């Protein structure tokens, strides 16, 4: 391996290769701190050609590659697995905005630019880039594309897939595909970029992308609504959606348990009221003059009157709006700080959400008594994070023997409602059993065939997504 490290250093420069120091540890450890395996080295290329050179050198040495962005993924997809030697290729130095076209509403960025940096560049140009999630300051465009990230505005703008117009990708053999098209229409054969979106680094390394920009928001109205149960939460969603139509850009659900864990980690944040469950809704409009606050208030009024909502507060300033969103954003950090959980990321048809929540509560109470449920998620997308915490005073390690049974039970439940066992986080290392259990043989065969075509030597991101052999 020394030879390979020396070749990488002489080709990419000393600054681009980290090896034999404790500095590699954060790259080798996933965000949830559940997985850690040593890498041969960490490579930080600065150009597409350097990514290509790295892949050629690794292929010649028979060493495998783990593509990595901000390493905020929640299924350990961007860190090494046990077994064959692996190099981590982290894209953070590929952080240039190559072009912004305000007429065509596109931005062309390198893979290492963060989601937040793209949002900021869009605002500066009087536009909007809508993919937003709590890790946006660290998560990179390449990672967000490779996981087809969702976030809080999917119900209005779609997930990452809906934003991508073109891609530049380095293939496993080091060839570069320049598919950086800015076109809205292009029916010229298979749409190959779709294979890399949500491809989790198994088919190639995304090095740059052309992303769609949207008209800037001119006004927001944001409210926190208290509800006694999940039926009422769905009622809030449907009522506000009926009033606001496509202007409803976010609808998040948070149980009191999840809220308490999040807020324990952020003691300066204050809830405007307490409730059994919370719904955070936001209406956004690009149309000047539309009175969004009145629109939201008029949607909420009847809900308060008929008791669907127990309480509601509409943010009166940008500051109050930001505070409400900070409460939402602290949930995952709070859970990690409290010792972590057995996480799930299911989606089901929206009409079935109440039945699914009721079934999950019964399941945990009856089969896993004493464990604590933390449910929150993107209600407007039918996407629930069903997280199971150990009993008070116990650690995640104490319930390790139950982990697989809990996950199988929660995922099975989602599947019986014609749902998905991984809505937005992807598969990585942590949902592979779900792939084996829930995907048909035909679907797995097609995926394995694609992997063989793009990566016949099996160099890219081993041990992720596809159940072996
Ligand atoms: C607090 C918190 C909140 C989150 N909220 C959400 C949410 O609301 N919605 C959501 O969808 N996700 C959410 N996530 C998950 C995560 O942030 C997203 O999946 C994010 O898009 C991952 O980006 P990353 O750059 O960190 O990727 P990484 O974690 O580094 O990698 C993710 C996967 O993509 C591959 N990859 C990375 N870069 C490339 C590349 N350039 N080319 C090819 N493959 C690559 C990796 O190999 C890995 O398989 C959250 C995470 C945290 C920590």
């Amino acid at each position: 391996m020394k030879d390979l490290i020396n070749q990488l250093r002489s080709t990419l420069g000393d600054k681009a290769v980290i090896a034999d120091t404790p500095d590699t540890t954060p790259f080798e450890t996933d965000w949830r701190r559940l997985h850690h395996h040593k890498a041969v080295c960490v490579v930080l290329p600065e150009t597409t050609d350097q990514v290509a050179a790295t892949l050629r050198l690794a292929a010649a040495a028979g060493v495998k590659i783990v593509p990595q962005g901000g390493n905020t993924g929640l299924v350990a997809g961007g860190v090494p697995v046990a077994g064959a030697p692996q190099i981590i290729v982290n894209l953070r130095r590929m952080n240039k905005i190559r072009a912004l076209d305000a007429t065509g509403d596109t931005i062309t960025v390198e893979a290492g630019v963060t989601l937040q940096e793209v949002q900021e560049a869009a605002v500066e140009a009087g536009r909007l880039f809508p993919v937003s999630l709590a890790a946006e300051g660290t998560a990179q465009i390449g990672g967000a594309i490779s996981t087809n990230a969702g976030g809080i505005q999917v119900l209005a703008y779609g997930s990452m897939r809906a934003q991508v117009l073109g891609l530049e990708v380095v293939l496993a053999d080091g060839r570069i595909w320049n598919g950086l098209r800015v076109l809205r229409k292009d029916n010229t054969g298979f749409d190959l970029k779709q294979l890399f979106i949500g491809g989790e680094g198994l088919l190639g390394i995304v090095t740059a992308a052309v992303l769609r920009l949207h008209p800037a928001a001119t006004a927001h109205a944001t409210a926190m609504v208290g509800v006694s149960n999940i039926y009422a939460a769905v009622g809030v969603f449907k009522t506000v959606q009926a009033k606001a139509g496509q202007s409803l850009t976010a609808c998040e659900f948070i149980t009191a348990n999840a809220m308490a864990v999040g807020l324990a980690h952020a003691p300066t944040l204050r809830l405007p009221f307490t409730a059994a469950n919370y719904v955070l809704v936001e209406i956004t409009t690009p149309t000047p003059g539309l009175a969004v606050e009145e629109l939201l208030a008029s949607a909420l009024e009847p809900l308060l009157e008929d008791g669907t909502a127990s309480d509601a507060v509409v943010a009166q300033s940008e500051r109050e709006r930001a505070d409400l969103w900070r409460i939402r954003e602290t949930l995952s950090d709070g859970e990690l700080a409290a010792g972590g959980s057995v996480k799930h990321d299911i989606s089901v048809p929206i009409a079935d959400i109440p039945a699914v929540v009721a079934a999950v509560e019964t399941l945990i109470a009856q089969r896993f008594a004493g464990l604590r449920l933390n449910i929150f998620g993107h209600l407007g997308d039918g996407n629930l994070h069903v997280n199971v915490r150990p009993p008070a005073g116990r650690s995640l390690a104490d319930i390790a023997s139950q982990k697989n049974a809990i996950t199988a039970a929660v995922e099975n439940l989602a599947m019986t409602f014609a749902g998905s066992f991984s809505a937005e986080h992807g598969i990585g290392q942590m949902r592979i059993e779900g792939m084996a259990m829930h995907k048909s043989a035909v679907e797995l065969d097609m995926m394995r065939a694609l992997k063989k075509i793009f990566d016949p030597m099996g160099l890219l991101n081993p041990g992720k997504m596809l159940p072996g052999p």
Side-chain angles (χ1 to χ4, degrees):
M1 290 305 143
K2 277 235 153 59
D3 282 353
L4 176 60
I5 292 171
N6 287 337
Q7 285 170 342
L8 286 164
R9 283 200 166 120
S10 69
T11 310
L12 278 75
D14 280 348
K15 260 196 354 206
V17 183
I18 311 174
D20 301 326
T21 87
D23 296 349
T24 55
T25 306
F27 297 91
E28 294 160 341
T29 313
D30 76 307
W31 187 86
R32 293 170 65 190
R33 292 171 212 139
L34 297 175
H35 295 263
H36 177 266
H37 291 286
K38 280 301 294 164
V40 172
C41 62
V42 178
V43 177
L44 302 163
E46 219 176 355
T47 65
T48 305
D49 285 338
Q50 287 189 352
V51 175
T54 304
L55 264 57
R56 280 195 297 270
L57 289 171
V63 171
K64 299 182 191 268
I65 296 279
V66 182
Q68 187 179 78
N71 196 15
T72 68
L74 296 174
V75 289
V79 290
V81 291
Q86 292 144 73
I87 291 176
I88 295 171
V89 177
N90 182 298
L91 279 288
R92 74 177 184 203
R93 288 172 76 218
M94 288 197 64
N95 57 3
K96 288 181 213 59
I97 293 179
R98 291 190 188 166
L100 191 151
D101 174 0
T103 307
D105 275 331
T106 62
I107 185 167
T108 305
V109 299
E110 292 183 345
V113 176
T114 64
L115 284 171
Q116 190 177 327
E117 286 163 345
V118 177
Q119 292 164 6
E120 287 167 358
V123 168
E124 217 167 284
R127 297 291 186 278
L128 170 81
F129 179 70
V131 177
S132 176
L133 43 89
E136 64 198 20
T138 312
Q140 299 174 7
I141 288 300
I145 289 172
S146 302
T147 55
N148 184 26
I152 56 174
Q153 303 200 100
V154 171
L155 87 145
Y157 299 100
S159 57
M160 204 62 200
R161 190 180 298 281
Q163 320 309 325
V164 177
L165 290 172
L167 286 183
E168 178 186 86
V169 181
V170 178
L171 302 177
D173 59 8
R175 282 181 301 161
I176 298 168
W177 173 49
N178 183 345
L180 287 174
R181 297 174 188 134
V182 299
L183 306 173
R184 309 277 160 159
K185 289 186 159 186
D186 178 24
N187 284 349
T188 52
F190 296 130
D191 188 357
L192 293 173
K193 67 176 180 294
Q194 301 299 349
L195 295 174
F196 300 99
I197 303 170
E200 300 191 21
L202 268 77
L203 304 182
I205 299 190
V206 174
T207 46
V210 181
L211 304 171
R212 199 187 283 265
L213 297 179
H214 299 259
T218 58
H220 303 281
T222 311
M224 182 74 88
V225 184
V227 289
S228 56
N229 57 49
I230 182 69
Y231 293 89
V234 175
V236 170
F237 167 59
K238 290 313 293 176
T239 303
V240 179
Q241 190 186 45
K243 240 331 190 236
Q246 290 207 316
S247 305
L248 175 62
T249 43
C251 185
E252 300 286 301
F253 172 70
I254 309 165
T255 56
N257 284 350
M259 187 66 96
V261 173
L263 289 183
H265 180 64
T268 56
L269 293 177
R270 291 269 167 276
L271 266 177
F273 52 79
T274 55
N277 303 276
Y278 303 83
V279 182
L280 183 55
V281 280
E282 183 158 279
I283 294 178
T284 305
T285 178
T287 314
L290 191 73
V292 281
E293 272 172 31
E294 283 82 352
L295 187 66
L296 184 54
S298 72
L300 296 178
E301 234 168 60
L303 294 168
L304 286 161
E305 274 165 20
D306 71 13
T308 304
S310 54
D311 227 324
V313 162
V314 179
Q316 296 301 311
S317 63
E318 249 326 291
R319 167 92 196 267
E320 285 184 16
R321 172 177 176 246
D323 281 349
L324 290 181
W325 279 112
R326 265 204 289 277
I327 291 173
R328 168 63 182 88
E329 282 159 14
T330 196
L331 302 181
S332 297
D333 285 340
E335 212 174 62
L336 183 66
S341 64
V342 182
K343 269 182 173 303
H344 308 95
D345 169 37
I346 60 171
S347 64
V348 293
I350 289 174
D352 291 327
I353 286 180
V356 169
V357 169
V360 165
E361 284 170 351
T362 306
L363 169 82
I364 298 299
Q366 290 183 349
R367 279 189 55 198
F368 305 100
L371 304 194
R372 295 173 294 173
L373 253 183
N374 246 28
I375 303 183
F376 59 93
H378 312 295
L379 177 64
D381 308 324
N383 179 190
L384 294 172
H385 301 310
V386 175
N387 299 339
V388 183
R389 300 175 61 227
R394 308 273 297 281
S395 75
L396 206 51
D398 294 331
I399 62 165
S401 62
Q402 291 172 286
K403 185 186 157 296
N404 289 348
I406 297 167
T407 296
V410 171
E411 290 183 358
N412 275 332
L413 212 151
M415 298 310 288
T416 58
F417 281 86
S420 167
F421 63 94
S422 185
E424 61 173 5
H425 295 159
I427 304 302
Q429 302 182 48
M430 301 182 68
R431 298 269 170 264
I432 289 190
E433 286 84 0
M435 291 291 273
M437 210 154 10
H438 304 301
K439 289 282 182 191
S440 68
V442 174
E443 212 165 339
L444 286 174
D445 274 357
M446 287 192 286
M447 289 189 190
R448 289 193 182 108
L450 282 169
K451 174 72 173 165
K452 264 220 167 81
I453 289 169
F454 281 89
D455 181 18
M457 289 170 70
L459 294 175
L460 288 168
N461 223 2
K464 314 289 165 50
M465 193 200 285
L466 295 175

